[in-house]
């Protein structure tokens, strides 16, 4: 074991720890860090010991993987071992840890709580990174490639943290990676000197080597430093893609110029900005109603650590949506030029019927969100106008419905006391759910108390320096946009025993002529929905400002308040017919048609469209064209070996492959040289070490025996040994070549080039025959 290999191993372990250390910012506790240090040290120690016992690289990595896996499993699932050996129960325990970690990642944002599942998965991931770094840097002596797993470990934090990482988190692992490059480069450069000393020479060869090494080192350091500076400066001056709308709740694919589709990712983060003014159209619609309601895309009740997430409904939901209240009037909305990506569409709440020919769709039984099997450009929905009066809502009674889940009344533990006191103060004197809800809405819409802004500013911290929970931050700063105002009303309503949830969608948009309205990406909006017994989920509007729209009449009118809607009822058959206000009940069979299930064939049909097939074929043809030369060279080698009849033919084919490959690496065979002269050239110019030089001598001896001895004296074992020696020589020579030479030799092998150049002549000769 050389001293430089010890250095590379130590540097790789330190770089791994430096790359994973920023993960401490993603969790409340850092108790996993000492265990991570032990795992990285274990991987490094195993690598050192294994490299001292064997030269098989795959065996070294296998030892690291097996021993590290055993140690981690023994530490966390040792109770399931049988005579110190893992059992199927061990796999079940490991799987349960993985599920626990997955649930934590889905339910919490950074900094998240630390539990056994998260710690177990972190150690497994860190072990994988440590093994990859050690294998690339020390076992394969390619520290440049070790930068990839180090970057992966760094991006785990960069992609999941709420704020940008400090510069030190990036500089330390990069500096250690550059030191690894420098150390390995010095070692390789030192083996390149092949000139022998001449007693009559007046030139100090050793001094020249030292000067060359210093020049090489200085050049490498300059290139590395320039690369780091460029990596830091380029992101600062490069235009970034526009942020997703609704703070990661809504995003656009495409080039940002209005093309592409808009899609929700089912997550809404209160700690990020909604600073997006994209005027790209999302859809255009007409409606039979005189007044226009917001277009809802989805609703969710689950809130955790500053994020609203769609996690699915628990239990076994009913096959059909819950019945709508009796007093309602129906209107139609016809949508065109829709760019909202599947499985979402936008429509006023609640939808009672959908018309989209050839597209499967379903209605969520709890939220009544409409989901489609594939993106649809044009569709028509029939929706109900829930128009209760304030007196009716005041007499609605205690909420009691299967539509209400535990999440609809959940308040964050960290902010429970603040929310309860805040809510009690706002609703003081209100003696029924509606008046409490109106009091909360009026309080939040008061512009003398609260400021509507897209700029949240710097997040405040508590006395211990921790970031405040987003609701606490909103209470302290009194500034935010629709997400903050809606969340505040939802939590205060829940504190008063009123079920509440978050709705996400768009404002009604602006008129664009001919009774058409255009909804743009900048119209993205969020609002609360509160549940009232007998009337279901009703919209409220706590966000102040012109962008939010006005609250519905039942949320602002007095005892004589009337319905919210107006317009032409879809039940009217003639222009002169009077709009029917006869209550419709859920028993009417045509109110909610049976939704179409998305079958497997429908899913496959949506995937195998003509556009997708053409795209896949174009990609495959492009890859084939890019790698046609390597494929041709591989095919020629395979054909020569299959054409070999005797051991002599096979040995000649192997030798031809070796000379062709070394020629691609810059070691061409000059004309007129003997076999032994060519062998010495390969040993000298290929910088072969003692072991590979001996292998080259065996290859030469086997080739000479095959050519000049009796055929039966060449055994199959000699051919097999020659094949292994040639593979070892090829790898050794490849490591001494520049990466540009290796890439060029792989993509443009001379044997394949000669084959294609001679193809016209061969075809012409066949035609003459």
């Amino acid at each position: 074991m050389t001293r430089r290999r010890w250095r590379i191993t130590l540097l790789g372990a330190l770089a791994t720890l430096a790359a994973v250390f920023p993960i401490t910012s993603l969790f409340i506790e850092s108790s996993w860090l000492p265990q991570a240090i032990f795992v990285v040290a274990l991987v490094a120690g195993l690598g050192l010991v294994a490299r001292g016992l064997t030269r098989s690289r795959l065996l070294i990595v296998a030892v690291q993987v097996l021993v590290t896996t055993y140690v981690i499993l023994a530490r966390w699932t040792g109770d399931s071992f049988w005579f110190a050996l893992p059992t199927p129960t061990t796999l079940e325990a490991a799987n349960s840890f993985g599920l626990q970690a997955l649930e934590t990642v889905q339910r919490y944002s950074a900094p998240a709580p630390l539990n056994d599942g998260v710690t177990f998965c972190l150690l497994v991931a860190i072990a994988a990174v440590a093994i990859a770094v050690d294998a690339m840097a020390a076992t394969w002596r390619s520290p440049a490639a070790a930068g990839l797993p180090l970057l992966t470990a760094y991006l785990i934090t960069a992609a999941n943290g709420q704020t940008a990482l400090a510069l030190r988190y990036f500089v330390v692992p990069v500096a250690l990676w550059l030191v690894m490059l420098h150390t390995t480069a010095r070692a390789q450069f030192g083996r390149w000197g092949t000139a022998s000393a001449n007693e009559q020479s007046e030139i100090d060869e050793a001094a020249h080597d030292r000067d060359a090494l210093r020049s090489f080192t200085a050049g490498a350091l300059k290139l590395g430093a320039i690369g780091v500076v460029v990596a830091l400066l380029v992101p600062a001056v490069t235009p970034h893609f526009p942020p997703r709308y609704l703070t990661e709740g809504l995003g656009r694919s495409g080039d940002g110029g209005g093309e592409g589709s808009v899609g929700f990712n089912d997550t809404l983060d209160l700690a990020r900005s909604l600073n997006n003014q994209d005027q790209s159209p999302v859809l255009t619609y007409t409606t039979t109603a005189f007044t226009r309601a917001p277009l809802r895309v989805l609703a969710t009740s689950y809130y955790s650590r500053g994020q609203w997430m769609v996690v699915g409904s628990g239990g076994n939901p009913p096959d059909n949506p819950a019945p709508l209240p009796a007093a309602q009037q129906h209107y139609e909305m016809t949508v065109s030029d829709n760019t909202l990506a599947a499985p979402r569409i936008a429509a006023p709440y609640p939808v009672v019927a959908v018309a989209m020919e050839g597209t499967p769709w379903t209605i969520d039984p709890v939220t009544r969100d409409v989901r489609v099997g594939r993106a649809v450009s044009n569709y028509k929905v029939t929706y109900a106008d829930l128009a209760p009066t304030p007196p009716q809502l005041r007499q609605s009674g205690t909420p009691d419905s299967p539509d209400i889940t535990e999440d609809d009344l959940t308040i964050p533990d960290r902010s429970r006391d603040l929310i309860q006191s805040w809510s009690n103060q706002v609703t003081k004197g209100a003696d029924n759910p509606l008046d409490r809800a109106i009091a909360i809405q009026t309080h939040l819409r008061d512009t003398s108390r609260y400021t509507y802004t897209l700029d949240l500013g710097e997040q405040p911290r508590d006395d211990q320096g921790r970031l405040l929970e987003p609701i606490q931050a909103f209470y302290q700063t009194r500034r935010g946009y629709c997400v903050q105002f809606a969340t505040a009303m939802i939590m205060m309503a829940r504190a008063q025993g009123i079920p509440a949830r978050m709705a996400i969608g768009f404002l009604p948009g602006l008129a664009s002529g001919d009774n058409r309205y255009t909804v743009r990406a900048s119209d993205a909006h969020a609002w609360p929905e509160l549940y009232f017994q007998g009337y279901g989920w009703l919209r409220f509007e706590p966000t102040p400002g012109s962008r939010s729209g006005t609250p519905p009449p039942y949320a602002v009118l007095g005892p004589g308040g009337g319905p919210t809607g107006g317009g032409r009822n879809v039940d009217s058959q003639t222009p002169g017919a009077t709009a029917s206000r006869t209550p419709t009940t859920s028993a009417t069979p045509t109110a909610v048609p049976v939704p179409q299930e998305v079958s497997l064939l429908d899913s496959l049909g949506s995937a195998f469209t003509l556009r997708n097939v053409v795209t896949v074929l174009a990609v495959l043809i492009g890859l084939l064209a890019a790698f046609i030369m390597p494929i041709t060279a591989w095919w020629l080698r395979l054909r020569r070996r299959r054409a070999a009849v005797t051991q002599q033919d096979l040995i000649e084919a192997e030798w031809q492959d070796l000379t062709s490959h070394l020629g691609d690496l810059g070691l061409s065979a000059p004309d007129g040289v003997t076999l032994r002269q060519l062998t010495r050239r390969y040993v000298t110019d290929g910088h072969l070490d003692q072991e590979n030089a001996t292998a080259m001598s065996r290859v030469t001896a086997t080739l000479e025996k095959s050519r000049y001895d009796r055929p039966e004296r060449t055994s199959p074992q000699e051919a097999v040994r020659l094949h292994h020696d040639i593979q070892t020589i090829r790898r050794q020579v490849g490591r001494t070549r520049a990466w540009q030479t290796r890439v060029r030799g792989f993509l443009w092998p001379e044997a394949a080039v000669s084959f294609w150049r001679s193809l016209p002549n061969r075809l012409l000769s066949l035609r003459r025959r």
Side-chain angles (χ1 to χ4, degrees):
M1 180 65 63
T2 64
R3 184 175 59 180
R4 296 191 194 278
R5 193 73 68 89
W6 278 87
R7 292 178 181 175
I8 292 296
T9 302
L10 179 59
L11 289 171
L14 294 176
T16 302
L17 291 175
V20 302
F21 178 77
I23 299 179
T24 54
S25 64
L26 298 181
F27 299 96
I28 298 175
E29 302 177 20
S30 302
S31 57
W32 60 270
L33 189 57
Q35 302 178 66
I37 296 175
F38 170 77
V39 168
V40 174
L42 175 64
V43 170
L46 290 172
L48 284 174
V49 174
R51 282 187 289 271
L53 297 176
T54 179
R55 301 182 67 87
S56 174
R57 295 166 176 170
L58 294 179
L59 181 58
I60 294 170
V61 175
V63 169
Q64 289 176 309
V65 171
L66 293 176
V67 175
T68 305
T69 301
Y70 180 86
V71 170
I72 294 177
L73 289 177
R75 162 65 178 83
W76 290 94
T77 63
D79 295 340
S80 63
F81 280 23
W82 183 76
F83 286 99
L85 294 176
T87 63
T89 308
T90 304
L91 298 179
E92 295 177 1
N95 182 66
S96 65
F97 281 133
L99 294 176
Q100 184 182 15
L102 179 61
E103 181 183 5
T104 302
V105 171
Q106 290 178 340
R107 294 174 69 94
Y108 295 94
S109 60
L114 188 70
N115 51 44
D116 290 344
V118 171
T119 304
F120 175 80
C121 291
L122 276 177
L123 294 180
V124 172
I126 292 171
V129 172
I131 292 173
V133 171
D134 186 79
M136 295 175 184
T139 304
W140 266 271
R141 302 183 186 180
S142 300
L148 293 177
L150 290 174
L151 179 62
T152 301
Y154 174 81
L155 290 179
I156 292 176
T157 308
N160 292 282
Q162 293 187 358
T163 57
L165 286 177
L167 184 61
R168 64 181 181 276
Y169 290 134
F170 175 78
V171 171
V172 174
V174 168
L176 291 170
W177 177 66
L178 290 176
V179 174
M180 282 196 297
L181 288 176
H182 172 257
T183 303
T184 304
R186 285 177 60 92
Q188 293 179 349
F189 189 87
R191 294 197 299 266
W192 288 354
T194 57
S196 58
N198 190 337
E199 294 179 0
Q200 287 76 25
S201 175
E202 298 179 358
I203 301 176
D204 187 352
E205 297 289 348
H208 275 275
D209 286 344
R210 288 192 297 270
D211 292 340
L213 181 58
R214 282 193 293 269
S215 176
F216 176 83
T217 302
L221 290 176
K222 290 178 181 178
L223 288 176
I226 292 174
V228 173
V229 172
V230 170
L232 294 175
L233 293 180
V234 168
V237 299
T238 302
H240 295 276
F241 291 105
R244 291 185 174 185
Y245 319 127
L246 283 186
T247 63
E248 304 297 330
L250 176 65
R252 175 176 292 277
S253 62
D255 58 5
E259 300 296 330
S261 62
V262 174
F264 281 77
N265 73 353
D266 298 352
T267 301
L268 199 61
D269 194 335
L270 272 67
R272 301 183 185 178
S273 176
L274 186 62
N275 189 12
N276 182 78
Q277 299 298 322
D278 189 354
Q279 297 299 310
S280 303
V282 175
L283 58 87
T284 302
Y285 71 92
T286 61
T287 179
T288 60
F290 294 144
T291 58
R292 295 173 294 119
L295 310 182
R296 201 183 74 169
V297 176
L298 61 90
T300 178
S301 301
Y302 184 77
Y303 175 86
S304 175
R305 300 188 65 82
Q307 286 188 340
W308 291 98
M309 292 177 285
V310 177
V311 295
S313 56
N316 297 316
D319 295 333
N320 294 314
L324 292 173
Q328 56 178 288
Q329 189 171 358
H330 293 174
Y331 301 105
E332 283 185 352
M333 184 182 76
T334 303
V335 177
S336 59
D337 302 324
N338 174 54
T339 61
L340 202 60
R344 307 291 183 186
I345 66 170
Y349 175 83
V351 173
V352 297
V354 181
M356 51 181 75
E357 184 177 355
T359 301
W361 59 273
T362 59
I363 295 181
D364 188 279
V366 175
T367 64
R368 298 191 73 91
D369 299 335
V370 180
R371 302 193 179 193
V372 293
R374 51 179 173 267
V376 57
S377 177
N378 305 310
Y379 60 91
K380 181 185 293 186
V381 296
T382 301
Y383 63 95
D385 176 30
L386 302 182
T389 63
Q392 291 173 328
L393 294 179
R394 288 188 177 97
Q395 300 173 6
S396 60
T398 304
D400 182 16
S401 170
D403 285 353
I404 303 174
T405 65
E406 181 181 353
D407 289 336
D408 294 322
L409 291 168
T410 300
I411 302 174
D413 292 335
R414 185 176 171 186
S415 307
R416 181 179 299 277
D417 294 339
L418 170 64
I419 293 172
Q420 191 66 59
S421 61
W422 187 14
S423 177
N424 291 339
Q425 180 182 0
V426 171
T427 61
K428 185 177 181 180
D431 58 357
N432 63 80
L434 176 63
D435 289 340
R436 295 189 186 103
I438 293 177
I440 296 171
Q441 175 182 264
T442 303
H443 172 79
L444 293 172
R445 289 181 66 89
D446 188 350
T447 55
S448 65
R449 291 189 177 99
Y450 298 92
T451 302
Y452 178 89
T453 176
L454 300 178
D455 183 11
L456 299 179
E458 185 177 356
Q459 284 186 268
R461 299 176 180 269
D462 59 17
D463 297 336
Q464 299 178 357
R466 298 179 303 176
L467 291 175
L468 291 178
E469 210 273 340
I471 297 178
Q472 297 173 337
F474 177 71
Y475 178 80
Q476 180 172 316
T477 63
R478 302 298 175 105
R479 55 188 291 138
Y481 47 89
C482 58
V483 181
Q484 281 72 33
F485 284 95
T487 302
M489 182 167 184
I490 291 171
M491 295 305 168
M492 284 196 283
R494 290 179 178 181
Q496 296 300 315
I498 307 173
R501 67 188 185 187
M502 175 70 77
I504 309 168
F506 299 95
L507 294 171
L510 298 176
S512 56
D514 298 331
N515 295 323
R516 301 178 67 84
Y517 301 91
T518 298
V519 175
R520 302 184 183 278
S522 57
D523 293 323
H525 189 50
W527 61 90
E529 290 181 347
L530 277 59
Y531 191 90
F532 289 84
Q533 186 66 24
Y535 300 93
W537 295 95
L538 299 179
R539 175 176 66 92
F540 285 77
E541 187 51 79
T543 305
S546 57
R547 261 186 54 85
S548 63
T550 59
Y554 55 77
V556 293
L557 295 182
T564 65
R568 176 170 53 83
N569 194 308
V570 297
D571 297 332
S572 302
Q573 301 299 322
T574 62
T578 303
S580 174
R581 289 190 180 272
T582 303
T584 58
T585 64
S586 60
T588 304
T590 58
V592 181
V594 178
Q596 305 176 35
E597 295 293 336
V598 182
S599 64
L600 178 60
L601 292 178
D602 292 332
S603 301
L604 293 176
S606 62
F608 288 96
T609 61
L610 178 61
R611 180 177 180 179
N612 291 344
V613 172
V614 171
T615 302
V616 171
L617 289 177
V619 171
L620 292 178
I621 293 174
L623 291 175
L624 180 62
F627 293 98
I628 187 63
M629 289 301 179
I631 294 174
T632 301
W634 169 81
W635 176 73
L636 291 174
R637 290 194 299 270
L638 183 63
R639 190 178 69 169
R640 283 194 297 267
R641 290 173 183 172
R642 290 183 174 179
V645 178
T646 63
Q647 295 297 328
Q648 287 74 14
D649 296 336
L650 183 60
I651 291 174
E652 289 292 342
E654 294 281 2
W655 175 255
Q656 186 177 354
D657 290 343
L658 177 62
T659 55
S660 176
H661 179 73
L662 296 184
D664 294 331
L665 295 178
L667 297 179
S668 58
D671 296 334
V673 297
T674 64
L675 177 60
R676 298 196 173 225
Q677 289 174 333
L678 183 59
T679 299
R680 286 193 294 271
R681 168 175 166 77
Y682 287 157
V683 172
T684 302
D685 295 347
H687 307 291
L688 298 182
D689 54 21
Q690 184 61 40
E691 180 180 354
N692 285 283
T694 303
M696 192 71 221
S697 299
R698 288 198 300 268
V699 169
T700 304
T702 302
L703 184 62
E704 289 177 337
K705 182 179 180 181
S706 170
R707 287 180 175 179
Y708 307 119
D709 204 347
R710 291 200 302 265
E712 64 273 9
R713 300 191 61 175
T714 302
S715 65
Q717 291 76 13
E718 290 177 314
V720 172
R721 186 178 61 182
L722 178 135
H723 173 77
H724 290 300
D725 286 340
I726 286 178
Q727 295 300 317
T728 303
I729 294 168
R730 289 177 55 164
R731 287 193 293 267
Q732 174 66 28
V733 174
R735 287 195 291 267
T736 65
R737 306 291 100 178
W739 68 268
Q740 298 94 331
T741 302
R742 296 198 301 269
V743 172
R744 184 173 60 250
F746 173 75
L747 296 177
W748 204 253
E750 184 60 33
V753 174
S754 301
F755 172 82
W756 288 106
R757 286 177 177 174
S758 62
L759 183 60
N761 294 332
R762 294 199 306 273
L763 294 177
L764 183 60
S765 63
L766 290 176
R767 183 177 179 182
R768 290 176 178 175
R769 294 179 184 176

